[in-house]
Amino acid sequence: MTIEWHYTAGEDFSLLSLSGHLGPEGAHRFAGAIGWVLARGTGPVIVDMSGLRSWSVNGQLAVLEAARRLTAHGRSLELAAIPADGSLVPDGDCPPITIHTDLAAAVTKHDAHDQGVDGQQQWRTSGWSA
C-alpha cells in the first residue's frame, strides 16, 4: 500500500493532504508530490496527515527531506495530525517544522479559516477519494 495525495494551492498557504501508508513506496510518491507542490504554489505548505494510517522511518525521512527542499525554495513545511505510531525527530541540519495537532489548528494559525475555494487550483492522484 502506498499513499494517495490531494493538493490545493491557496492564497495564504498550500495544503497537501495524504492518505494511506507513508512507507518506502509512499516516500517516493510523496517526494513526487512535493515536486508538484514546488512547481505550482507559493507560501507555506501544510501537510495534512489525518488520512495516514501509519508512516515508517522511510516516510519520516521523506518528510524531513521535503522540509529541506521547500526551505531551499523559500517555503516552509507544517504538519497537521501526524500519525500516532511515530514521532518526527529532525536531525541537526533540518529546518524547523511546525507540527499542529490537527488541520483546524494549522488553518487557524494562518488566520485563513475563510480561505474559500474560489480561484484555488487543485490536483490529486487518481486513487484519491473525495
Side-chain angles (χ1 to χ4, degrees):
M1 175 86 190
T2 188
I3 63 164
E4 299 295 336
W5 58 263
H6 180 269
Y7 174 64
T8 303
E11 294 177 25
D12 300 319
F13 62 90
S14 296
L15 176 63
L16 178 63
S17 299
L18 305 177
S19 67
H21 171 69
L22 185 53
E25 292 175 23
H28 179 70
R29 195 168 201 179
F30 177 68
I34 293 298
W36 194 270
V37 166
L38 283 168
R40 289 168 179 81
T42 60
V45 177
I46 297 172
V47 178
D48 176 15
M49 299 182 143
S50 59
L52 279 184
R53 286 191 297 280
S54 60
W55 60 349
S56 70
V57 171
N58 289 337
Q60 292 176 27
L61 292 173
V63 169
L64 298 177
E65 181 57 27
R68 288 184 193 93
R69 286 177 67 192
L70 289 164
T71 298
H73 288 87
R75 299 177 73 183
S76 61
L77 177 70
E78 301 180 22
L79 303 178
I82 64 172
D85 64 343
S87 62
L88 188 65
V89 181
D91 53 21
D93 69 340
C94 187
I97 300 172
T98 302
I99 299 177
H100 304 280
T101 54
D102 56 26
L103 183 57
V107 170
T108 299
K109 181 208 177 233
H110 290 279
D111 195 29
H113 53 278
D114 292 328
Q115 180 170 299
V117 295
D118 296 341
Q120 290 183 344
Q121 295 186 9
Q122 298 185 24
W123 299 269
R124 64 179 157 259
T125 54
S126 60
W128 181 264
S129 59

